[in-house]
């Protein structure tokens, strides 16, 4: 009976190693497709690719965009 158990444990260990190898292969393939390091899930990421932007940063970008559009409208009037 112990020989059967040992055999099953060995098969389990080899299957586990094969799964780890497959996971590593999948991660490498995803890395090659995305061109980015593997992302970890955290509260600071949106869709796993970009960190969230603070309200202050969004406001700053909004003001810069509004200034660009105002400048463009002013140039178009000339």
């Amino acid at each position: 009976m112990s020989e059967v158990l040992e055999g099953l444990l060995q098969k389990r260990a080899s299957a586990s190693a094969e799964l780890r190898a497959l996971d590593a292969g999948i991660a490498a393939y995803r890395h090659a497709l995305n061109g980015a390091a593997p992302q970890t899930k955290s509260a600071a990421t949106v869709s796993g690719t970009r960190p969230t932007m603070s309200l202050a940063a969004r406001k700053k970008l909004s003001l810069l965009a509004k200034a660009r559009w105002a400048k463009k409208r002013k140039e178009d009037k000339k």
Side-chain angles (χ1 to χ4, degrees), residues 52-63:
T52 57
M53 201 179 304
S54 69
L55 290 175
R58 281 195 295 239
K59 184 171 183 173
K60 191 176 189 180
L61 288 175
S62 172
L63 292 173

Side-chain angles (χ1 to χ4, degrees), residues 17-27:
E18 188 174 349
L19 280 174
R20 281 192 301 273
L22 287 171
D23 287 341
I26 290 169

Side-chain angles (χ1 to χ4, degrees), residues 21-58:
L22 287 171
D23 287 341
I26 290 169
Y29 189 70
R30 283 184 177 159
H31 175 68
L33 287 176
N34 294 333
Q39 297 288 325
T40 58
K41 300 284 182 186
S42 71
T45 58
V46 175
S47 74
T49 57
R50 290 187 185 171
T52 57
M53 201 179 304
S54 69
L55 290 175
R58 281 195 295 239

